[in-house]
Amino acid sequence: MPIQPILVIEDSDDDFEATERAFKKSGNLANPLFRCEDGQEALDYLLRNGQYAELESTSKPGLILLDLNLPGKDGRSVLAEIKSNEDLKTIPVVVLTTSDDEKDISECYRHGANTYIKKPVNIERFFYAIKQLKEYWFEIAIKPKK
């Protein structure tokens, strides 16, 4: 089975770079990071539409990190579409966002989010959160093969 990428759906260059640095700092991670900058691009990537039509369909992400506040189709809509799609719904989705609004949290869990994390403002806390996330999803949790 090929190494599954981690899909980071994030419009902020700074937040993506911090996420990338945090994964690198957290130790050996064989999974490559792949970034989509908006919700529609992420769905095209996941469903192999448009510019992603030629990608191998068997290499779906092993984990999705999803920001809620995206241009165009927002993260809430993306989450709902992922979790309602038979081929995608088993991919773990971690909402990683600046919002700690109870409405957002409840809505995301209702739509099937596996975890909801408010991005820490402090960079060291952010690195720690990513390290914990990596350890849980890639060293502790058992996920379906497909």
Side-chain angles (χ1 to χ4, degrees), residues 31-120:
N31 307 68
L33 295 182
F34 187 84
R35 178 186 182 194
C36 291
E37 295 184 30
D38 64 55
Q40 189 57 57
E41 180 188 3
L43 291 171
D44 287 347
Y45 173 78
L46 289 165
L47 298 169
R48 303 305 193 240
N49 292 328
Q51 65 180 328
Y52 301 109
E54 302 299 316
L55 288 179
E56 193 176 315
S57 63
T58 58
S59 180
K60 292 204 167 92
L63 179 67
I64 297 172
L65 302 182
L66 175 64
D67 186 24
L68 291 184
N69 303 310
L70 300 168
K73 187 178 290 275
D74 73 1
R76 295 157 195 84
S77 299
V78 172
L79 175 64
E81 288 194 43
I82 290 169
K83 293 303 183 176
S84 67
N85 182 295
E86 203 57 39
D87 293 328
L88 303 175
K89 68 182 181 182
T90 60
I91 301 171
V93 177
V94 173
V95 175
L96 185 61
T97 189
T98 56
S99 172
D100 62 358
D101 184 302
E102 186 57 42
K103 182 180 172 205
D104 284 336
I105 296 166
S106 295
E107 182 180 358
C108 287
Y109 279 115
R110 263 195 319 279
H111 284 299
N114 297 87
T115 303
Y116 190 105
I117 298 173
K118 181 178 182 216
K119 293 177 187 172

Side-chain angles (χ1 to χ4, degrees), residues 99-146:
S99 172
D100 62 358
D101 184 302
E102 186 57 42
K103 182 180 172 205
D104 284 336
I105 296 166
S106 295
E107 182 180 358
C108 287
Y109 279 115
R110 263 195 319 279
H111 284 299
N114 297 87
T115 303
Y116 190 105
I117 298 173
K118 181 178 182 216
K119 293 177 187 172
V121 177
N122 175 292
I123 194 71
E124 289 306 315
R125 288 186 184 185
F126 183 74
F127 284 1
Y128 178 76
I130 293 295
K131 180 178 187 280
Q132 297 298 312
L133 190 70
K134 179 196 131 222
E135 288 175 359
Y136 178 76
W137 285 109
F138 292 101
E139 297 171 22
I140 297 171
I142 299 172
K143 299 177 290 190
K145 298 279 185 222
K146 185 177 177 197

